[in-house]
Amino acid sequence: MSHSPLTARVVLDNERTIGTISPLLFGGFAEHMGRCVYGGIYDPASPHADERGFRRDVQEVLRQQRLSILRYPGGNMLSGYDWRDGVGPRQLRPRRRELAWQSIETNQFGTNEFIDYCRATNIQPMLGVNLGTGTIADAAALVEYCNAPAGTRYADLRAAHGYAEPHGVQYWCVGNEMDGPWQIGHLDMDEYAGKAREAAKMMRWNDPNLNLILCGSSNTDMPTYPEWDRVVLETCWEHVDYLSLHYYATNYDDDTASYLAMAAQFESHLDTLAGLLRYVKAKQRSSHNVFLSWDEWNVWYKDRSGHGGWQEAPHLSEEIYNLEDALVVAQWMNVFLRRCDVLKIACIAQIVNTISPLLTTSEQILRQATYYPFALFSNHAAGQALEPLTIAPQYDTELFGAMPLLDVSASYDEAQDSGAVFLVNRSQHESVATDIIWQGAAPGRAAGRAHRPAPTATVVHGGDD
Ligand code: AHR
C-alpha cells in the first residue's frame, strides 16, 4: 500500500479557449470486415434483430455512446467494392470473393441499409467512394444515386429500390489509404492526387454541398509520410474540405510507461499535419480552409487476423482490451479536445466486433474497457475546449523522454454553464492528488451533474490506494 505525496495542479479559465468541440469527434467506422457488419450491425438470426435485421441491442449502446457519425463501407474493402452489388432486391445481389479480407461478401447489407441504420440510430452517414478498382464515373454515379432528385438514371434506380427521396449524404471519403501498397489498386501520390481531384469535381458537380475528405497518409511510419499529404493537398486544396489521418496504437514491447504516454505521438501527428495545412494554404494564396478527419483510430495489435479463409463473417481482429488500452483511448480523446481547432471529425475503428469496444454473440453484447472513456467524453465534452495549464510531476519514458504524469483536457459549455475536466493518471503505482483551479468564474456545474463541482479532485487509477 503506497501513500504517495504526489500532487498536481490544473489551471483552467473559461476565457482561455482552443476552439469549438465538433460533435463529429465522437464518430465511428464500420467496415465489411469480419463480424462488424454481419453479426454486429446486421444479424437477422439474432433474437435482438428488428424486422430489418438490425441488432437493436447494438443500436441502443451506440445511442448511449452518442455516436455522431459513421464511416462506411471501408476501409481496405472499399477499394474493391462495387456499390451496385449492394443495392436493389436482395435475392439478386451477388455473392463475391472480397479480396481485402479474403472473405465471402453476400451483399445482403449495402448502401440503403446503411442509410436506414444511420437514420434509425440518429447518426450522420459518411460514405466512401472506391478509388482503387473504381473509376471517377463510378464515384459520381454513387453521389447521383444517393443525393440527386429522381428523374435521371441513378436517382431513378434509387427510387426503383424504394427510396423516392434523396438520402442527402453530406460526408464523403475520396478513397481509402491509397498510399498503402496493401491497398487494392494502390496509387502513387501524383496518381492519387490527380484521380482524387477529378473524382471530387464530378462528385461536387452532382451535389455542390458535399463535404469531401481526401486520403492522407495511412500512418506516420509510411515512407511517404508526410510528403504524400503535401502533394495531395497541393493538387486538391480547393476541391476538398478535410484531410484524413489514420493511426492504430500498439504496445508490442510491453513498455507500459511509454504506451501510457502515447498522447505525445498523437499530438505530434496532428501538429505535423496542422503545419502542413497552414503551409499549403499560404502557398496557394487561398482563403479556403481544409481541416483534419482522424477517420480511423484505435488500439490494434493483439489480434491482427485479416485472412477470412473465404468464410462469411469470419472472426477477424476481435481485439480484447484492458485498462492500459482504455487509458490510451482516453488520451487520444484528450488530444482531440486539445486540437479541436484543426481536428473536426474522428471515427473510432471500428464500432462493433472488429477492433471495437463492443463485442457480440448472437444473444449478448459486451462493453469492453475502451467503451467507458469514449462514452465519458462523448457524453460530457461540449462547447469550447479549454487550454489547460498542467503542473504535474514527470516520469521517464523510453519513447518520449520525460512526460508529465497527468494528461488533461477540459471543456466549458456556456449554454449549459457546465464544465468537464478529463484527467489520465499515467502512473502505474501512485495516485496524484490534483487541485483543479478555475480562474475567473467557475462553471455552475460539472457536466452531467446538478451541483457545482468541488474545487479539488483526486485522480486515481492503477495506483495501490
Ligand atoms: O480498420 C481496419 C483496416 O485498417 C482498414 O480497412 C484500413 O483502412 C486500415 O488499414
Side-chain angles (χ1 to χ4, degrees), residues 21 38 87 97 112 167 173 199 201 213 241 250 263 311 359 378 411 455:
I21 299 166
Y38 302 108
V87 293
R97 284 165 75 87
N112 293 316
H167 291 318
C173 300
K201 279 163 49 183
I213 300 146
D241 306 287
T250 65
Q311 301 296 306
L359 284 174
S378 58
S411 67

Side-chain angles (χ1 to χ4, degrees), residues 29 31 33 75-77 101 176-177 182 246 248 296 300 349-350 355:
F29 169 47
E31 176 167 14
M33 174 183 178
N76 296 341
M77 169 271 189
W101 306 113
N176 176 72
E177 293 191 351
W182 60 85
H246 292 177
Y248 292 93
E296 285 185 38
W300 183 22
Q350 301 185 12
I355 330 170

Side-chain angles (χ1 to χ4, degrees), residues 14-205:
N14 292 347
E15 291 180 333
R16 198 167 59 229
T17 58
I18 298 166
T20 302
I21 299 166
S22 162
L24 302 185
L25 291 177
F26 310 115
F29 169 47
E31 176 167 14
H32 285 246
M33 174 183 178
R35 296 191 310 123
C36 181
V37 171
Y38 302 108
I41 289 175
Y42 174 77
D43 189 3
S46 165
H48 298 289
D50 70 9
E51 64 292 348
R52 291 181 287 196
F54 300 161
R55 284 284 296 254
R56 276 184 293 231
D57 53 343
V58 174
Q59 281 178 298
E60 181 49 32
V61 176
L62 296 180
R63 284 189 200 102
Q64 291 168 13
Q65 206 175 328
R66 292 176 74 151
L67 202 82
S68 53
I69 190 165
L70 187 55
R71 177 173 179 256
Y72 170 88
N76 296 341
M77 169 271 189
L78 174 66
S79 298
Y81 183 58
D82 184 345
W83 63 266
R84 295 170 185 84
D85 290 347
V87 293
R90 280 207 166 101
Q91 67 279 12
L92 299 181
R93 298 186 195 176
R95 278 168 65 84
R96 293 263 191 220
R97 284 165 75 87
E98 197 287 289
L99 297 180
W101 306 113
Q102 288 153 35
S103 308
I104 296 300
E105 172 57 58
T106 63
N107 283 304
Q108 292 304 291
F109 188 97
T111 302
N112 293 316
E113 289 79 23
F114 169 67
I115 300 295
D116 287 344
Y117 187 80
C118 288
R119 301 298 180 225
T121 324
N122 195 23
I123 295 174
Q124 176 96 242
M126 180 200 267
L127 280 175
V129 296
N130 171 358
L131 286 202
T133 60
T135 64
I136 59 175
D138 293 328
L142 180 57
V143 174
E144 179 188 333
Y145 181 88
C146 287
N147 286 10
T152 55
R153 179 180 174 184
Y154 289 108
D156 283 348
L157 187 61
R158 181 196 68 237
H161 292 159
Y163 298 85
E165 292 305 314
H167 291 318
V169 178
Q170 293 174 30
Y171 291 87
W172 293 80
C173 300
V174 188
N176 176 72
E177 293 191 351
M178 297 308 296
D179 60 330
W182 60 85
Q183 199 67 210
I184 298 170
H186 156 68
L187 299 171
D188 72 28
M189 55 185 91
D190 291 313
E191 290 169 334
Y192 171 70
K195 188 170 180 181
R197 181 194 57 215
E198 296 310 303
K201 279 163 49 183
M202 288 184 73
M203 292 166 77
R204 277 249 169 83
W205 285 335

Side-chain angles (χ1 to χ4, degrees), residues 90 237 261 314 322 366 436 438 454:
R90 280 207 166 101
W237 185 265
N322 57 28
L366 172 73
I436 297 173
W438 224 291

